[in-house]
C-alpha cells in the first residue's frame, strides 16, 4: 500500500503557486517516496554579514584617540570602521555621495560625516550595526570644512561662500549665530576670499576661532565680540593650518610648497618661511617653487623638539617620484616614500586635549590602495605590521572560492607554513588602533577563502568567526621563466598582460591537493608538504588540443548553403592533414606559424620549494598551426583516482598525475555516442534549420549577452567567410580569418594535399545529405586523415593512452585552425571545489567581446563543468564504478567511465582505462554544477585520499595514508539507488540512476540566466543555491527541487560580481563587491538571528583622560586655557533661530523620530519601548556616574575644609 504523505501535498501546492514550474516525471520510482526532506522555507533568510578588505577609493579619515577607533570614508559614501585585529564594521550612506570629512565625538560613541551632496550625518556607534541618528541637508551652500572641538556639542561648518554655520550635534539644529565672510575679511578687500579650508579654535582660548580661506587669508575671530581680532595675509593659497599647543603660534601650508609660521599677535608678516623640499639659492633669493603641501600637522613633546609632519611639497623636477610623507623633527628631515598617492594622514597622540603637550607616537597614512602606520618612537620610523586583511587587492583578484566547515587541522597547517613568509623589520610595538571587542558568536566551524590573482599568486584566508586573516601565499609564477628584457617576450599571445593570472582552480581540502589553471592555457598540480625540497627538473606534460571539423562548421548564413571554398588554382590552399613531426619544443613554419610551442617556458634551473604547496606536475597546452591554445574553461582534481580532468572549447583531456601521462584527449563531439540523440546535427538543406526531436538548439546563456547585436553579427559572418578564402594581399597569422579549409599560403602540389582537399569539399557538401551519409563521409575523412598523417613521437609528446578500453585514442590531430585567439581575460574565472567540481562557463567573458573573432567560437560546444563520482556509467550497469560527469555549454551531460587498478604498486604500473558512456541528459543553457545523492537524499561527495606528506618516509606515508572509501552498494533488480542532480543556466533536473529517468525538473528562470549554482549542505540537508544575473538568489530543495528561497538581492552591475560570487555550506556566500573588498552574506535564518552576537563591538566604556593641570601660577594669574560657555553664544536664546530654508533636518532611522516614522503597530511599539528603555538605562548609568563623581568631590572638599580648619584653629586674626 502506498504511503500517503500530507507534506508532499502541501509542497505540491507551493510549487504550483510559485512563479517557476517544477514538474515530476510520471512513473516516479517508489524509492523517492521515502526521501524525507527536512528543509523548509523558514530556514532561509538573506542578509549581509561583514565586509573585508581595503576601503575602495578612500576619501577621508578620522581617529578617536580615547576609543582607539579609526574611521575611513569613501567616494561611494561608505564608512569602514576599524579597531583591534578582527574588529571591523561597514555602513553605507543611502545617497552614495562621497564622504569629504569625518569627525568623531571623542569617547562619546558617535561620528559626524560630511558628504559631497552638502549633507551631514550623525552616526550612533554604540550599537553593533551603526545607524544614523540625525541628518542635516544644506540647500543653499556647499560644505567645504567641518570642525568639532573636543568635548563640545557645537559643530562648525565652513562653506564654499566663505560663511561659517554652527550646528548643535545633540539636536542637529542650526544656530542663529553665523560668521559671514564679508565681516571676517577686511572691508578694503575687493575680492571674495574663496571657500573656507580650515576652522579651529585656539587651544588656550575657546573664544578665539581661526578661519582659513583658500585665497591665503587667515582670520582670528572673537566669538564673543563677533569681530576679527587679527588678519594674516599671504600671497599663496592655503591648504591646511596647524596650531602649537600653547596657542601662540600656528603653521600654514601653501600651494607653492612653503610653510609659514605666524605669531598670533604679529599679523604683519610670518615669523618664519621655509620650503622643506626647495633648493636654497646661494644668492639669498627666494627658493624655487615646489608642489603644494596638502596638509601639515604640528605636534609638541615634553622632552624634545616638536614634530612637523607634512604631505606633498616635493620639487617639480622630481618627475615620476612616488608620493612622500615628510617628518621633520628638530634638525632632521625624513622623507618616507609611499607606494600609492596619499589621501590623508593623522598623527596619533597620547592626549586628546589640544592645549597639552601632544606626545605623538605614530602617524596613520591613508593611501589610495593601502593603510600604513608609522612608528615615530623608533629610529628610522619603521611601520607597524598591519593586522587587517587589506591586501586582498595586492594583485587584482581573478577568481575566488569559499569553503565552510573544513577539516579542523587545515588552518593550523596553512598557518604554520605561512608564518615563515612574513616580512621582517616591522615595529616591535603593538598595533596602536586597538579599540572595540570581538563578537561572542557560536559559529565555530573553520572557514577558508581562496583567492586567485592576476600575478599568478594564490592566497589562503582564514575566514572563521566573521574575521579574515591571511594564512598562506603561493606564487605559481615561480615555475616559469620570466622575461629578463623587452626583447625576451613570452609567447603569451592569449593575453597581453598578466600571463600568469589564475583562471580557475580546484582544491580538495581533505587531501590538500591543489590544481590551478592559468590564462596562458597552463595547469599546475600541487601537493602540500611540511618539508622543504629542491626540485631539479620540473615535471612537464605538453598537450595538443584542437577542434574537429564538426566543431568549427561554418555558421549558418540563412540561405547560403554552400560556403565559398578555395579551388585548386587559388593561392589560398588547404593545409596538409597531418601535422609536421616536431620535437616537444615546437618550431615555426616557413610563414612564421607557431606549432607545438607552449605559451610559457618552464624554468630549467633547480626550483627551491619551501614548506607548503609544492609543484607535482605542470601541464601546458601548445600552439596548433599558428593558433594559440584555447583557455581552460573547467577543471577538477581527484586525489583518490590520481587524475586531473580539464576542458576548453576544443574538448577535454584526462591526465594521470601519478604516472605523469595523458590518458584521454578528445573533442567534445566525440563524447557523443553514434546513436546519441543529442549529438551535433547535420545541416538541413532548407534555408532555416529546424532542430530535430524535442531538444531545441540551446546555446549558453552567458554567451547570449553578445547576441544583443544578432543582426550585425549575421552581417559580419558573410564577409568573414569571403575574406577567409580571398587572397587579396599578404595576411599575417594575427589578422587572417581562416575557414576550416584554409591553411598556409604555399601552393598545393602534393597528392596528399589534393586528396585531403577533396575530402574537405565532400565534408562541406555533405550538409545537403542525410545524417547517415554525413556520418559516413566524416568516418571516411577521419580514416584517410589518420592513414596519411605522420603522428609525432609518443614519448616526445608525452601523450600515451594506456587504456585497453579507451574508445577514443588520444586526440585526432586535425589540421584545423583553432577559431580566433582569446584576447580578453575578463571572463568568469570560476573555481571548483573537490566535493563539487563545477565550472563556470568561461565563454562569459569571451562571448561578451564585440570582435568578429568570437563569433565562430560561440557555436562551438565547450566543456563547462566536471564532477568525479562513483556511479553507473550506463543504464544497463548494476555495479557502480569510478566515473566523471561532464557538462557542456550546450547543456549536455555525459558520463565518462574510469577503470583503474587498486592502490599501491599496481596503480603506478598499470594503465588507467577511460571510456565514454554517452549523454545522460540535456538541459537548457550551459551546465553549471552537478552532484550525486544516494537513495536517502544524502550527498555522495567525490572520494578522496587523506593527506600525507609526500616527502616523508615510506612508513609515515603508510600510517597517514588512507585508501579511497569503498564503493556504494550496487543497484539490485534494476532498482534506482542514486539521484543525479544537474543544474544549468536555465533549469535544474534530478535523474534516477542507473535508469537515467528524469524524476524532477524545475525551470529556474525564463528571462534571465544563472551565473553560479552550487549544491550545498544546509541544516543537515542538501539544496541547490543559485545566483541569477537579474540579482535573484534562490535555493531549491533536493531531490524534489522545491523553491525554498527567492529574493532579489543584487542585480548584476559588474562582471567582477559574476566572476567571484560563490556559495558554501551552512548558508554562507561571498563575492567581490569592489576591486579591493570582499562582501560576505548569509542565506541562513539561524545566522541572521545570531548576527548581533557574532558581530564585533566598536564602543567600549573608557574613562576620558584627566585634563592637563594648569599649575598654580597660571591659575592665579589667568595664564591657562580660557573656557567658553558656547551655549550662551550659540543657543536659541542668545543667537535666535536659523533660517529654515538654509538646511533641512532629516531624522535618521536610528533615532526616536526615525523609529516612530518607520514603525507602527505592536512591533513598532515594542521597538520604541526597547529603544526608550535603552536610552533610559543609559541616562540612569550616566546619572549614577555623575552622582558618584559628585560624592567623591564632596568628600574631597570636606577633607580639605577640615584640614584648613585644623591648620588655622589656634591662630589669631593677625597671624593669618
Amino acid at each position: 500500500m502506498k504511503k500517503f504523505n500530507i507534506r508532499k501535498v502541501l509542497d505540491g501546492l507551493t510549487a504550483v503557486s510559485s512563479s517557476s514550474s517544477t514538474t515530476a516525471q510520471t512513473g516516479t520510482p517508489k524509492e523517492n517516496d521515502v526521501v524525507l526532506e527536512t528543509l523548509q522555507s523558514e530556514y532561509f533568510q538573506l542578509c549581509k554579514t561583514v565586509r573585508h578588505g581595503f576601503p575602495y577609493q578612500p576619501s577621508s579619515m578620522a581617529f578617536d584617540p580615547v576609543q582607539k577607533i579609526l574611521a575611513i570614508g569613501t567616494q561611494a559614501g561608505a564608512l569602514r570602521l576599524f579597531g583591534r585585529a578582527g574588529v571591523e564594521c561597514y555602513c553605507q550612506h543611502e545617497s552614495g555621495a562621497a564622504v569629504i570629512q569625518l569627525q568623531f565625538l571623542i569617547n562619546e560613541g558617535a561620528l559626524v560625516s560630511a558628504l559631497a551632496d552638502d549633507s551631514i550625518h550623525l552616526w550612533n556607534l554604540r550599537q553593533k550595526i551603526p545607524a544614523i541618528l540625525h541628518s542635516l541637508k544644506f540647500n543653499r551652500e556647499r560644505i567645504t570644512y567641518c570642525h568639532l572641538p573636543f568635548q563640545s556639542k557645537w559643530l562648525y561648518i565652513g562653506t564654499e561662500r566663505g560663511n561659517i554655520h554652527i550646528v548643535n550635534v545633540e539636536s542637529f539644529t542650526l544656530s542663529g549665530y553665523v560668521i559671514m565672510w564679508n565681516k571676517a575679511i577686511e572691508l578694503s578687500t575687493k575680492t571674495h576670499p574663496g571657500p573656507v579650508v580650515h576652522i579651529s579654535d585656539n587651544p588656550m582660548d575657546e573664544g578665539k576661532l581661526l578661519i582659513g580661506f583658500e585665497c591665503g587669508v587667515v582670520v582670528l575671530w572673537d566669538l564673543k565680540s563677533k569681530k576679527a581680532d587679527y588678519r594674516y595675509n599671504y600671497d599663496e593659497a592655503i591648504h591646511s593650518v596647524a596650531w602649537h599647543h600653547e596657542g601662540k603660534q600656528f603653521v600654514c601650508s601653501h600651494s607653492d610648497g612653503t610653510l609659514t609660521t605666524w605669531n598670533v599677535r604679529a599679523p604683519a608678516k610670518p615669523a618664519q618661511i621655509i620650503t622643506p623640499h626647495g633648493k636654497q639659492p646661494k644668492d639669498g633669493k627666494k627658493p624655487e617653487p615646489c608642489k603644494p603641501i596638502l596638509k601639515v600637522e604640528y605636534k609638541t613633546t615634553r622632552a624634545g623638539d616638536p614634530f612637523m609632519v607634512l604631505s606633498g611639497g616635493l620639487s617639480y623636477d622630481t618627475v615620476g617620484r612616488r608620493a612622500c610623507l615628510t617628518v621633520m623633527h628638530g634638525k632632521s628631515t625624513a622623507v618616507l616614500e609611499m607606494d600609492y598617492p596619499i589621501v590623508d594622514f593623522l598623527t596619533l597622540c597620547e592626549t586628546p586635549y589640544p592645549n597639552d603637550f601632544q606626545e605623538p607616537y605614530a602617524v596613520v597614512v591613508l593611501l589610495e590602495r593601502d593603510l600604513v602606520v608609522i612608528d615615530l618612537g623608533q629610529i628610522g620610523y619603521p611601520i607597524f605590521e598591519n593586522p587587517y586583511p587589506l591586501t586582498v587587492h595586492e594583485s587584482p583578484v581573478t577568481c575566488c572560492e569559499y569553503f565552510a566547515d573544513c577539516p579542523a587541522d587545515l588552518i593550523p597547517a596553512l598557518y604554520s607554513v605561512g608564518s615563515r613568509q612574513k616580512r621582517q623589520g616591522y615595529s616591535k610595538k603593538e598595533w596602536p588602533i586597538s579599540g572595540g571587542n570581538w563578537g561572542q558568536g557560536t559559529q565555530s566551524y573553520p572557514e577558508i577563502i581562496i583567492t586567485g590573482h592576476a600575478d599568478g599568486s594564490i592566497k589562503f584566508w582564514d575566514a572563521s568567526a566573521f574575521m579574515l586573516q591571511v594564512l598562506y601565499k603561493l606564487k605559481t609564477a615561480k615555475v616559469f621563466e620570466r622575461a629578463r628584457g623587452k626583447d625576451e617576450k613570452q609567447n603569451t599571445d592569449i593575453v597581453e598582460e598578466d600571463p600568469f593570472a589564475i583562471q580557475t582552480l580546484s582544491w580538495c581540502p581533505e587531501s590538500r591537493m591543489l590544481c590551478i589553471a592559468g590564462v596562458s592555457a597552463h595547469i599546475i598540480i600541487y601537493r602540500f608538504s611540511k618539508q622543504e625540497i629542491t626540485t631539479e627538473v620540473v615535471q612537464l606534460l605538453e598537450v595538443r588540443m584542437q577542434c574537429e571539423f564538426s566543431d568549427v562548421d561554418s555558421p549558418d548564413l540563412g540561405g547560403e548553403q554552400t560556403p565559398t571554398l578555395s579551388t585548386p588554382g587559388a593561392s589560398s590552399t588547404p593545409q596538409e592533414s597531418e601535422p609536421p613531426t616536431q620535437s616537444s619544443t615546437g618550431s615555426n613554419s616557413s610563414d612564421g606559424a607557431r606549432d607545438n610551442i607552449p605559451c610559457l617556458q618552464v624554468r630549467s634551473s633547480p626550483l627551491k620549494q619551501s614548506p607548503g604547496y609544492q609543484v607535482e606536475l605542470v601541464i601546458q597546452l601548445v600552439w596548433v598551426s599558428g593558433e594559440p591554445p584555447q583557455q581552460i574553461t573547467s577543471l577538477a582534481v581527484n586525489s583518490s583516482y590520481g587524475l586531473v580532468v580539464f576542458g576548453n572549447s576544443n574538448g577535454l583531456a584526462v591526465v594521470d598525475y601519478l604516472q605523469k601521462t595523458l590518458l584521454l584527449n578528445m573533442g567534445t563531439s566525440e563524447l557523443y555516442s553514434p546513436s546519441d540523440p543529442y549529438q551535433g546535427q547535420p545541416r538541413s538543406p532548407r534555408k532555416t534549420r529546424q532542430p530535430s526531436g524535442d531538444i531545441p538548439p540551446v546555446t549558453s546563456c552567458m554567451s547570449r549577452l553578445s547576441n544583443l547585436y544578432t543582426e550585425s553579427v549575421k552581417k559580419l559572418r558573410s564577409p568573414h567567410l569571403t575574406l577567409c578564402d580571398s587572397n587579396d594581399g599578404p595576411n599575417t597569422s594575427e589578422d587572417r580569418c581562416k575557414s576550416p579549409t584554409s591553411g598556409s599560403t604555399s601552393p598545393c602540389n602534393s597528392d596528399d594535399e589534393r586528396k585531403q582537399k577533396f575530402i574537405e569539399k565532400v565534408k562541406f557538401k555533405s550538409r545537403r545529405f542525410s545524417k547517415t551519409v554525413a556520418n559516413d563521409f566524416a568516418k571516411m575523412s577521419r580514416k584517410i586523415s589518420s592513414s596519411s598523417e605522420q603522428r609525432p613521437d609518443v614519448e616526445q609528446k608525452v601523450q600515451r593512452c594506456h587504456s585497453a578500453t579507451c574508445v577514443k585514442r588520444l586526440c585526432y590531430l586535425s589540421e584545423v585552425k583553432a577559431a580566433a585567439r582569446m584576447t580578453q581575460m575578463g571572463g568568469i574565472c570560476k573555481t571548483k571545489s573537490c566535493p563539487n567540481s563545477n565550472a563556470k562557463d568561461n565563454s562569459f567573458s569571451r562571448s561578451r567581446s564585440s570582435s568578429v573573432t568570437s563569433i565562430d567560437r560561440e557555436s562551438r560546444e565547450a566543456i563547462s563543468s566536471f564532477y568525479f563520482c562513483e556511479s553507473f556509467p550506463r543504464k544497463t550497469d548494476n555495479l557502480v564504478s569510478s566515473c566523471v560527469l561532464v557538462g557542456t555549454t550546450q547543456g549536455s551531460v555525459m558520463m565518462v567511465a574510469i577503470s583503474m587498478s587498486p592502490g599501491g604498486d599496481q596503480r603506478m604500473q598499470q594503465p588507467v582505462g577511460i571510456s565514454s558512456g554517452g549523454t545522460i541528459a540535456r538541459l537548457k543553457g550551459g551546465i553549471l554544477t552537478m552532484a550525486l545523492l544516494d537513495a536517502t537524499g544524502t550527498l555522495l561527495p567525490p572520494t578522496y585520499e587523506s593527506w600525507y606528506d609526500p616527502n616523508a618516509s615510506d612508513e609515515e606515508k603508510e600510517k597517514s595514508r588512507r585508501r579511497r572509501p569503498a564503493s556504494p552498494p550496487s543497484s539490485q533488480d534494476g532498482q534506482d539507488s542514486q539521484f543525479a542532480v544537474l543544474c544549468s543556466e536555465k533549469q535544474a533536473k534530478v535523474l534516477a540512476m542507473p535508469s537515467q529517468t528524469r524524476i524532477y525538473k524545475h525551470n529556474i528562470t525564463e528571462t534571465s540566466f544563472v551565473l553560479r549554482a552550487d549544491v550545498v549542505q544546509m541544516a543537515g540537508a542538501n539544496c541547490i543555491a543559485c545566483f541569477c544575473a537579474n540579482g535573484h538568489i534562490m535555493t531549491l530543495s533536493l531531490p524534489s527541487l522545491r523553491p525554498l528561497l527567492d529574493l532579489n538581492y543584487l542585480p548584476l552591475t559588474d562582471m567582477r560580481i559574476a566572476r567571484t560570487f560563490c556559495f558554501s555550506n551552512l548558508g554562507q556566500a561571498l563575492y567581490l563587491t569592489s576591486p579591493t573588498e570582499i562582501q560576505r552574506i548569509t542565506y541562513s535564518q539561524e545566522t541572521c538571528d545570531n548576527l548581533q552576537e557574532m558581530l564585533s563591538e566598536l564602543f567600549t566604556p573608557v574613562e576620558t583622560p584627566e585634563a592637563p593641570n594648569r599649575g598654580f601660577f597660571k591659575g592665579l594669574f589667568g595664564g591657562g586655557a580660557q573656557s567658553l560657555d558656547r551655549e550662551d553664544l550659540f543657543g536659541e536664546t542668545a543667537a535666535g533661530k536659523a533660517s529654515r530654508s538654509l538646511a533641512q533636518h532629516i531624522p535618521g532611522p536610528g533615532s526616536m523620530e526615525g523609529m516612530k516614522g518607520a514603525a507602527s503597530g505592536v512591533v513598532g511599539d515594542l521597538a520604541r519601548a526597547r529603544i526608550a528603555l535603552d536610552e533610559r538605562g543609559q541616562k540612569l548609568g550616566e546619572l549614577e556616574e555623575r552622582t558618584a563623581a559628585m560624592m567623591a568631590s564632596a568628600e574631597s572638599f570636606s577633607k580639605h575644609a577640615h584640614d584648613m580648619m585644623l591648620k588655622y584653629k589656634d591662630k589669631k586674626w593677625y597671624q593669618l
Side-chain angles (χ1 to χ4, degrees), residues 777-788:
F777 272 108
K779 291 178 182 178
M780 181 180 68
S781 170
R782 201 170 286 127
K783 287 179 181 180
I784 299 177
S785 174
S786 60
S787 63
S788 62

Side-chain angles (χ1 to χ4, degrees), residues 1095-1115:
L1095 293 178
S1096 55
E1097 195 170 5
L1098 288 171
F1099 180 80
T1100 54
V1102 179
E1103 284 193 17
T1104 303
E1106 293 184 2
N1109 189 5
R1110 294 196 300 172
F1112 176 76
F1113 290 103
K1114 287 187 177 181

Side-chain angles (χ1 to χ4, degrees), residues 2 50 189 219 408 528 540 639 719 746 909 971 981 1037 1040 1096 1200:
K2 187 173 181 180
V50 290
T189 305
V219 177
F528 187 84
L540 173 63
S639 59
S746 59
Q909 296 175 0
S971 176
V981 180
S1037 69
S1040 66
S1096 55
H1200 284 88

Side-chain angles (χ1 to χ4, degrees), residues 529-720:
S529 175
K530 295 182 178 180
Q531 301 181 19
E532 181 178 304
I533 62 169
T534 299
T535 305
E536 296 296 332
V537 179
V538 177
Q539 296 290 326
L540 173 63
L541 183 63
E542 293 181 353
V543 179
R544 182 184 176 96
M545 293 184 71
Q546 59 187 113
C547 57
E548 292 297 315
F549 291 120
S550 57
D551 292 337
V552 289
D553 279 347
S554 302
D556 188 6
L557 303 179
E560 297 183 18
Q561 297 301 320
T562 306
T564 306
L565 295 176
S566 52
T567 60
S571 59
S572 179
T573 59
Q575 197 172 2
E576 293 185 9
S577 173
E578 69 278 359
T581 304
Q582 298 167 349
S583 64
S584 60
T585 58
S587 65
N588 292 343
S589 60
S590 58
D591 62 347
R594 297 169 181 165
D595 195 45
N596 287 358
I597 302 176
C599 295
L600 301 174
Q601 183 179 356
V602 176
R603 63 182 296 168
S604 56
S605 58
L607 176 63
K608 183 180 178 180
Q609 304 196 68
S610 303
Y613 276 100
Q614 299 171 353
V615 179
E616 175 81 4
L617 178 65
V618 177
I619 306 170
Q620 288 186 287
L621 303 188
V622 296
W623 286 63
V624 179
S625 302
E627 290 293 341
Q630 300 300 309
Q631 292 183 347
I632 306 298
T633 58
S634 53
L635 177 71
V637 62
N638 187 279
S639 59
S640 178
Y641 305 152
L643 301 179
V644 168
V645 57
F646 56 92
N648 59 13
S649 58
N650 286 339
L652 66 87
V654 182
V655 171
D656 184 345
Y657 64 80
L658 298 178
Q659 299 184 18
K660 310 293 188 298
T661 57
L662 178 68
L663 301 177
L664 181 70
N665 183 357
M666 65 165 55
T668 311
S669 61
E670 296 172 320
L671 290 171
Y672 295 97
S673 61
S675 59
D676 203 326
Y678 303 120
Q679 67 176 338
Q681 302 296 324
R683 296 192 183 274
S684 169
R686 291 169 293 181
K687 290 187 178 183
T688 305
R689 285 196 305 172
Q690 299 292 336
S692 68
D694 298 328
I695 306 299
V698 183
T699 58
S700 171
C701 296
M702 291 183 176
S703 46
R704 210 169 285 168
L705 285 186
S706 63
N707 293 342
L708 296 174
Y709 306 99
T710 309
E711 297 300 324
S712 301
V713 167
K714 287 183 178 180
K715 292 178 181 179
L716 285 171
R717 287 184 176 182
S718 297
H720 165 67

Side-chain angles (χ1 to χ4, degrees), residues 974-1094:
Q975 294 182 355
D976 294 323
S977 59
Q978 290 180 346
F979 298 108
V981 180
L982 314 174
C983 184
S984 72
E985 298 165 326
K986 286 287 189 178
Q987 58 185 195
K989 288 183 181 181
V990 175
L991 308 181
M993 302 295 287
S995 66
Q996 301 179 8
T997 305
R998 191 198 77 192
I999 56 175
Y1000 293 106
K1001 173 186 172 184
H1002 179 79
N1003 293 324
I1004 300 174
T1005 177
E1006 295 292 342
T1007 58
S1008 183
F1009 56 93
V1010 180
L1011 290 169
R1012 175 80 188 230
D1014 289 294
V1015 176
V1016 295
Q1017 296 179 359
M1018 174 79 177
N1022 303 299
C1023 64
I1024 301 178
C1026 305
F1027 173 57
C1028 293
N1030 59 7
H1032 282 251
I1033 291 180
M1034 294 173 282
T1035 58
L1036 306 173
S1037 69
L1038 289 177
S1040 66
L1041 301 179
R1042 283 183 299 115
L1044 299 172
L1045 174 73
D1046 187 356
L1047 290 176
N1048 188 6
Y1049 170 69
L1050 180 72
L1052 180 63
T1053 56
D1054 198 322
M1055 286 303 304
R1056 184 189 315 104
I1057 299 173
R1059 187 175 66 245
T1060 58
F1061 198 103
C1062 50
F1063 294 97
S1064 188
N1065 294 329
L1066 306 176
Q1068 306 299 324
L1070 64 81
Y1071 60 93
L1072 235 69
T1073 185
S1074 73
T1076 63
E1077 295 170 293
I1078 293 176
Q1079 178 66 58
R1080 294 168 67 178
I1081 63 175
T1082 181
Y1083 50 95
S1084 166
Q1085 175 70 51
E1086 181 182 2
T1087 305
C1088 292
D1089 293 341
N1090 300 326
L1091 187 60
Q1092 285 286 344
E1093 298 179 6
M1094 297 177 184

Side-chain angles (χ1 to χ4, degrees), residues 76-98:
L79 283 181
R80 294 286 300 279
L81 296 112
F82 298 91
R84 66 179 63 185
V87 175
E88 296 182 46
C89 183
Y90 160 78
C91 38
Q92 175 72 41
H93 293 91
E94 288 186 4
S95 65

